[in-house]
Amino acid sequence: MILFGEFSGLANGLQVWNKEHNITECLAFFKGVVEKEIVSKLPVVYVSRTNLGENPLDVNKLAFRLQGVAHVLCEPEEGVLLEGFSDVLDSNDARAGKIFVYYPSHNKKSRILNLTGSCQDADYLEDRAVNGVYNYMNSRMRKAIDTWDGVLTEKIHIENKKLLSNQNAIEEENNNIYDVFGEQLEKMEESNVKLSNEVQRLTAELQGLRMRYSDKEKSPVLYLGDEREFYTDEIKEIILDIMSEYKKNCREDSRRRHIISDLLESNEFKGLPDKRKEQLKNCVKGL
């Protein structure tokens, strides 16, 4: 993103980007690098055209692979005459179709790559140039400011200096913020506890209603009145208990007995009133 937006800036007067540079536009820089009069911040890769006027590889692709890591220099279509360089560079025939790699360190010897020997195709030649540059760059010792961590650390350092320049005002502001935040946090915690308890209560109530009215195809025989239950299903259990006693007095095969029997079979009768009575008796005996 930095390179495509052209925010990478200049290195030795050349834009650091993902494209190749025309050597005629930076000939003085290239001569200074070759003669070791200029210390380049990045490796310099010079691609010379063949005797047929063609590049030995895809220069644009090479520049893209070396984006931000090296300057790639190429010749215009009509070629270029180099004067005042070494014998290899001064001779068009000697440099034709070759790649010259110059490193920032004068202790690192420059390299000349071509299509002779085992390097028989442009892709392999390109890989040799790319690998050579990356191996060198990966072996370099870097300053902290040259890495993202270093940049972020320096940014934090600058911001901290600005904050500390007015420490008293910041501390007072922070204290006010902490007080307000503490009050709001306490209110939110109280509200969360109340809401959580209400959610649990409503969930339990909903679960009970679902259990009561899970069968939607049936309509209730009776509707509850205003009488409040002392425990769950108290009214239902009392009605079922009354119906059970009444069934004993109904004549066999009568319509009433059939209806009461159907209702008793369709509703689970837990016998809660009798169980409550027994519990009360046990409690009274224990006193």
Side-chain angles (χ1 to χ4, degrees), residues 114-125:
N114 54 35
L115 291 175
T116 60
S118 61
C119 182
Q120 297 298 325
D121 58 60
D123 290 338
Y124 184 58
L125 183 63

Side-chain angles (χ1 to χ4, degrees), residues 34-46:
V34 175
E35 301 298 333
K36 297 184 179 180
E37 296 175 354
I38 295 177
V39 178
S40 176
K41 294 182 179 179
L42 297 176
V44 177
V45 180
Y46 165 49

Side-chain angles (χ1 to χ4, degrees), residues 107-236:
N107 297 324
K108 177 70 174 177
K109 186 178 180 181
S110 60
R111 298 184 63 189
I112 300 177
L113 308 174
N114 54 35
L115 291 175
T116 60
S118 61
C119 182
Q120 297 298 325
D121 58 60
D123 290 338
Y124 184 58
L125 183 63
E126 177 186 311
D127 288 340
R128 288 185 64 191
V130 171
N131 291 337
V133 170
Y134 269 94
N135 287 336
Y136 170 77
M137 296 298 284
N138 288 333
S139 65
R140 295 183 65 188
M141 295 293 293
R142 303 190 182 278
K143 299 178 181 179
I145 197 63
D146 293 332
T147 64
W148 279 118
D149 287 339
V151 172
L152 294 176
T153 301
E154 182 64 19
K155 179 182 177 184
I156 293 173
H157 177 67
I158 293 174
E159 292 176 349
N160 287 340
K161 288 181 65 177
K162 291 180 180 178
L163 292 174
L164 292 174
S165 63
N166 196 9
Q167 185 176 1
N168 293 333
I170 293 173
E171 290 180 352
E172 184 178 353
E173 182 179 354
N174 286 342
N175 290 334
N176 293 335
I177 292 175
Y178 291 147
D179 292 340
V180 174
F181 178 74
E183 293 175 1
Q184 292 180 350
L185 182 61
E186 186 176 353
K187 291 179 181 179
M188 288 179 62
E189 289 179 348
E190 292 177 358
S191 178
N192 286 338
V193 171
K194 292 180 181 178
L195 291 174
S196 179
N197 293 337
E198 182 66 12
V199 169
Q200 292 180 4
R201 185 188 69 78
L202 292 173
T203 301
E205 183 178 340
L206 177 60
Q207 192 172 9
L209 291 174
R210 284 178 175 172
M211 293 175 62
R212 286 190 180 186
Y213 305 108
S214 58
D215 193 349
K216 297 181 180 179
E217 295 181 356
K218 295 183 179 180
S219 300
V221 177
L222 296 174
Y223 292 95
L224 294 176
D226 297 329
E227 187 67 27
R228 185 172 65 88
E229 289 186 328
F230 290 107
Y231 55 85
T232 304
D233 291 337
E234 178 198 15
I235 296 176
K236 174 185 173 182

